[in-house]
Amino acid sequence: MGVLAKLVGAAGAVGIGGFAYYATAGAEQQFWLISSMGPAFRLLDPETTHNLGIEAAKWGLFPKETRPDPAILRTRVWAKDFPNPIGLAAGFDKHAEAVEPLMKLGFGFVEIGSVTPRPQPGNPSPRVFRIKDLSATINRYGFNSLGADAVQDNLTLFAKKAREDPAAKPGLLGVNLGKNKSSKDAATDYSIGLTKLSQHADYVVINISSPNTPGLRALQGKKELEALVSQVKGTRDRMRWGPSGPPPLVVKIAPDLTQEDKEDIAAVALKYKLDGLIVSNTTITRPGAVAQYPEGKEAGGLSGPPLMDLATDVLADMYRLTGKGKIPLIGCGGVSNGEDAYRKIRAGASLVQLYTALAYAGPGVVPTIKAELARLLERDGFESVAAAVGVDHQPGKRYENAG
């Protein structure tokens, strides 16, 4: 079916009388209808499209996954059960405005943020750029945030609804913390965010790897990272927690690291018993054909398929450097299909995140990736996701890609 026909069909579904049809359609049809509208939305600038997506989710226009995940995708990390290992990375729902509808797309977990202690507008617009031919994006948002108090209110409302109706929270929730641009004390900023938001989180992320906040990536240095982790972890451990204990503390790192940088981060993670690492954020490099496009010359972090190889190589290095499984890793960067997710898992990821693929392919990418990943695990004889984590590091255990 041509793009025009898809757009006509999608428009009809949400037109007069069409909403009733959409609301009663099956999950497969809902995912197809909304994803079919992608070309129309991409006629708008990327930030407007993003904001419309959040509004659509809030108004109940996102599809709802009602089909059960394949049993092979169930996994357990940090003594927590994930229905599947595919999560939504931070950056889509920065202010925790649409947690429930995003979870109901079928993600195993959703990460909100980054959230700064005080509200800040981020960098001037335009600050997001598409490279459509490569399904890639460059952004320099700069931690635009409503602030921790507003996000705390949103998370409190979501937590209340989830208590009243557990079906509102079918997955797990991560909270990604940032620092204010004007702050001179990063550790205090992260500690404030943790104090205000961590009671609602299944895990908490210290984001020190965005390329769009001056000086932020310097916190990945060994001395700076030790001081930061020590203070934030101490803040968490001094708080009162219930029987399940505090949420896991995870650090999100950049892909643009030297070997010494990676070794230093691994050493700090092991020394301070970090609960996990997210590998990785966006890159300031312009690999392959990216630099040939006008948008490729824009400042900011690159995401999408051109990031896949770099981020996965760093993931594999961090898996080795952290003792091959001693610290759970979340693989992020360039995931567009089930094969990409499988590569991340084989390289050492216990969980996998995506974002840019959702922006380009629409919600239908979520069930597609899960189905593809399940087939690949079954093809290679694995009984679970956990059994495949890091297998490419085992002698003689290299698996073919699907393509």
Side-chain angles (χ1 to χ4, degrees):
M1 181 181 292
V3 170
L4 180 60
K6 289 182 178 180
L7 288 175
V8 170
V14 295
I16 298 172
F19 181 74
Y21 165 73
Y22 174 76
T24 57
E28 184 175 359
Q29 189 72 357
Q30 283 191 348
F31 275 95
W32 180 85
L33 286 166
I34 293 298
S35 297
S36 295
M37 298 179 70
F41 280 114
R42 284 192 291 278
L43 295 173
L44 305 172
D45 73 87
E47 187 164 357
T48 298
T49 302
H50 179 184
N51 293 337
L52 285 173
I54 291 293
E55 291 302 314
K58 289 162 62 176
W59 281 94
L61 297 177
F62 270 21
K64 298 176 179 64
E65 182 59 90
T66 57
R67 299 161 292 185
D69 286 330
I72 198 171
L73 295 184
R74 296 174 194 151
T75 194
R76 189 169 174 82
V77 182
W78 303 312
K80 299 175 186 290
D81 292 318
F82 290 73
N84 68 74
I86 306 301
L88 178 61
F92 189 87
D93 189 3
K94 292 175 178 287
H95 317 305
E97 299 173 284
V99 178
E100 180 183 353
L102 289 171
M103 283 194 176
K104 287 185 174 180
L105 289 179
F107 285 110
F109 61 110
V110 168
E111 187 173 309
I112 64 97
S114 294
V115 185
T116 57
R118 291 173 283 106
Q120 65 177 31
N123 293 322
S125 297
R127 52 192 180 179
V128 194
F129 309 89
R130 296 188 188 100
I131 307 177
K132 294 181 182 179
D133 291 349
L134 305 178
S135 299
T137 300
I138 291 173
N139 92 81
R140 52 172 181 261
Y141 272 113
F143 282 169
N144 54 310
S145 176
L146 296 180
D149 288 340
V151 174
Q152 183 180 42
D153 290 344
N154 289 339
L155 289 177
T156 299
L157 289 173
F158 173 66
K160 181 176 183 293
K161 183 167 186 181
R163 285 194 299 272
E164 295 170 351
D165 177 16
K169 187 174 182 283
L172 282 78
L173 176 65
V175 172
N176 184 302
L177 304 176
K179 67 175 284 292
N180 283 109
K181 183 177 181 179
S182 61
S183 175
K184 306 296 184 185
D185 187 348
T188 295
D189 270 23
Y190 289 110
S191 295
I192 290 170
L194 183 140
T195 300
K196 291 186 175 183
L197 304 177
S198 59
Q199 68 269 28
H200 300 299
D202 293 304
Y203 69 94
V204 175
V205 181
I206 304 173
N207 184 354
I208 55 172
S209 52
S210 167
N212 303 314
T213 297
L216 188 73
R217 287 190 169 188
L219 297 173
Q220 295 174 125
K222 188 173 185 179
K223 181 180 177 182
E224 293 81 3
L225 185 57
E226 281 191 326
L228 176 65
V229 170
S230 177
Q231 181 170 329
V232 178
K233 193 167 185 285
T235 299
R236 183 199 66 172
D237 293 346
R238 286 190 296 272
M239 294 171 66
R240 290 188 175 183
W241 300 102
S244 60
L249 191 62
V250 179
V251 169
K252 186 169 185 175
I253 66 173
D256 311 310
L257 300 169
T258 66
Q259 185 61 28
E260 183 179 4
D261 291 335
K262 289 180 277 191
E263 291 171 358
D264 286 347
I265 291 169
V268 172
L270 291 167
K271 177 180 178 180
Y272 288 91
K273 296 181 171 59
L274 273 175
D275 298 299
L277 295 171
I278 298 179
V279 189
S280 68
N281 213 315
T282 57
T283 179
I284 58 174
T285 67
R286 299 294 182 259
V290 174
Q292 299 174 16
Y293 291 83
E295 297 85 357
K297 297 175 174 58
E298 295 287 349
L302 171 72
S303 62
L307 176 59
M308 178 67 188
D309 288 345
L310 173 61
T312 307
D313 288 346
V314 177
L315 171 69
D317 286 345
M318 296 309 298
Y319 183 76
R320 287 191 295 268
L321 292 168
T322 54
K324 296 184 178 180
K326 289 184 179 179
I327 296 175
L329 305 179
I330 300 177
C332 184
V335 175
S336 299
N337 52 52
E339 182 182 323
D340 292 339
Y342 189 40
R343 278 184 61 194
K344 298 282 190 189
I345 291 166
R346 287 168 11 215
S350 296
L351 301 168
V352 177
Q353 289 179 320
L354 59 88
Y355 173 4
T356 303
L358 179 66
Y360 274 96
V365 75
V366 183
T368 297
I369 286 180
K370 291 191 295 183
E372 290 172 352
L373 176 59
R375 285 196 295 268
L376 290 166
L377 289 166
E378 291 167 354
R379 180 198 70 182
D380 290 337
F382 294 110
E383 296 182 354
S384 66
V385 172
V389 173
V391 294
D392 280 353
H393 299 268
Q394 299 175 16
K397 295 286 187 178
R398 298 293 296 185
Y399 292 85
E400 295 181 3
N401 291 330

